[in-house]
Amino acid sequence: MNDKSEFKDVSPTTLADLLGRGQVMDIGIRPLWTSVPRVAGPAFTVRCPPGDNLMLHAAVHRAEPGCVIVVESGDVDYALAGGNVCAVAQRRGIAAFVTDGVIRDLAEVREMGFPVFARGVIPIPGTKKAIEPLNQRVRCGGVDVDAGDIVVADEEGIVVVPRTGHAQVLIDARAKAAKEAAESLDAWEAAHRARIDGILSGGGFED
């Protein structure tokens, strides 16, 4: 297993603590069905202009297995994909779709268990006319995403780990998670109380 797929063992909350707000997609992009499993993989980036979904459909046949297809969508008025496209993506080993747009055929997508993180659903599809280059930098959910960046997503949110230095981020994330797991709730509570009381006291708060 390579270190990119091993990010699946790391929570987005741990990564967010390490990387900061700038690498976390906004709250509007959410899993479209409940109990979606955590996904992690290198980004395959796509840009679709308003009303068009051609390049996402092209990407499904070009992305490598294990990739997360990340789409910068031009709007939320037309669906980027539906049940059949998601089924083909799943069959080809695509880990998930992450998009700031919308899809359709949610019942089918939920039934097949294909992870989609998006802004919602709409029943009308987009057209297939606009040709754009694939694997260029896109902006999705307020985060710049380059091809090969590591995308980690679950019900807690979506974090983008820059491809440069991602191995060190993985090491740091595992160390942080191990430290937190080894700390009892009693010890955490005591440290937390001392920290909060110190901040309050320093600010002149009196009980």
Side-chain angles (χ1 to χ4, degrees):
M1 182 182 293
N2 61 48
D3 55 5
K4 295 181 180 181
S5 60
E6 285 177 351
F7 271 91
K8 192 172 182 180
D9 297 330
V10 182
S11 169
T13 57
T14 300
L15 293 171
D17 287 346
L18 293 172
L19 296 173
R21 181 66 187 87
Q23 296 305 120
V24 180
M25 291 192 186
D26 70 58
I27 192 174
I29 303 180
R30 304 297 300 165
L32 293 188
W33 46 275
T34 58
S35 301
V36 65
R38 181 179 301 150
V39 298
F44 188 100
T45 57
V46 180
R47 182 178 293 109
C48 291
D52 199 279
N53 60 31
L54 174 63
M55 297 316 298
L56 170 56
H57 291 232
V60 165
H61 300 286
R62 288 162 176 79
E64 294 293 327
C67 284
V68 175
I69 295 183
V70 179
V71 187
E72 177 184 328
S73 176
D75 59 39
V76 291
D77 297 318
Y78 296 90
L80 291 165
N84 284 343
V85 171
C86 291
V88 171
Q90 185 180 53
R91 186 162 65 180
R92 295 203 67 253
I94 304 303
F97 289 165
V98 173
T99 174
D100 59 1
V102 293
I103 69 159
R104 68 179 192 164
D105 302 330
L106 178 57
E108 294 178 30
V109 176
R110 181 175 57 241
E111 184 175 355
M112 72 181 72
F114 181 67
V116 176
F117 299 79
R119 295 201 183 275
V121 296
I122 201 167
I124 186 168
T127 59
K128 295 172 181 61
K129 298 178 181 178
I131 297 176
E132 298 274 350
L134 293 170
N135 273 330
Q136 303 296 303
R137 174 174 288 188
V138 299
R139 190 162 180 84
C140 184
V143 180
D144 290 332
V145 185
D146 289 310
D149 288 349
I150 310 303
V151 180
V152 182
D154 66 14
E155 63 186 3
E156 297 290 345
I158 306 159
V159 180
V160 179
V161 182
R163 60 188 176 187
T164 303
H166 72 267
Q168 185 60 51
V169 173
L170 180 59
I171 292 170
D172 293 344
R174 285 180 164 169
K176 178 177 171 59
K179 180 180 178 181
E180 291 173 349
E183 184 179 38
S184 70
L185 180 57
D186 287 343
W188 185 92
E189 181 182 9
H192 180 260
R193 177 65 185 270
R195 177 172 176 246
I196 297 304
D197 286 351
I199 295 171
L200 292 173
S201 178
F205 178 81
E206 297 181 3
D207 288 326

